[in-house]
Amino acid sequence: MTSPDDGIDDKPGVTVRCMDNVAVGVRLSGQEPFDEGCVQYVVEAWAPGLTARVDEVVAWIWDADLAAFVAGLATDYQGWEGERVWQTYDGDLAVSAVFRTGGHVGLTWTLHPWPHATGRWTASVTTWLEAGEQMSSLASDI
């Protein structure tokens, strides 16, 4: 499920909770224009035993932004084969999508900040959403 603002953070943002386990989620906040062609996000991911946050995820929108990727998934609500992937130019955030029987989409949100720095890390969580309405709502909220 998604909600534009549910008290997790004081800043406007979008929270995505897994329909199978509400203890698993992702929050995109601080969607502010960084430059004319991009948006900067704060991305938080959590699951039992995991909390991760990246403060400066820059998504360039001149090619295809995250909202367009999710909107495309919502358009294909009847399903697809394999995996679809979107990521930021520098790889700080990647979102992969798979379709499962019953009309549900699994979005795996992978945070991988500073991929070439010492002490780098990766964390990912998977949220399951309804393929049609919840995906459309998520696309418009982003």
Side-chain angles (χ1 to χ4, degrees):
M1 293 204 209
T2 66
S3 64
D5 190 10
D6 59 4
I8 290 178
D9 197 340
D10 292 335
K11 298 177 188 175
V14 177
T15 300
V16 183
R17 283 197 170 71
C18 179
M19 62 187 284
D20 292 346
N21 183 350
V22 295
V24 177
V26 172
R27 179 159 176 80
L28 303 167
S29 61
Q31 300 103 317
E32 301 195 13
F34 178 74
D35 196 337
E36 190 170 302
C38 67
V39 174
Q40 183 172 326
Y41 294 100
V42 173
V43 182
E44 299 169 271
W46 62 89
L50 170 74
T51 302
R53 177 182 169 124
V54 179
D55 289 329
E56 296 177 1
V57 173
V58 176
W60 294 93
I61 57 177
W62 35 256
D63 187 19
D65 67 354
L66 179 56
F69 173 73
V70 175
L73 299 174
T75 300
D76 291 340
Y77 66 91
Q78 293 181 337
W80 63 86
E81 295 291 323
E83 179 181 65
R84 296 182 180 180
V85 178
W86 174 91
Q87 71 175 15
T88 59
Y89 179 75
D90 60 6
D92 284 351
L93 173 65
V95 181
S96 61
V98 295
F99 187 86
R100 79 173 175 197
T101 308
H104 297 107
V105 176
L107 297 175
T108 299
W109 305 79
T110 302
L111 297 172
H112 186 73
W114 318 287
H116 304 292
T118 303
R120 63 188 173 266
W121 54 271
T122 300
S124 62
V125 297
T126 300
T127 57
W128 288 94
L129 303 172
E130 292 176 0
E133 188 175 322
Q134 285 186 338
M135 293 299 293
S136 294
S137 176
L138 176 58
S140 68
D141 290 347
I142 291 174

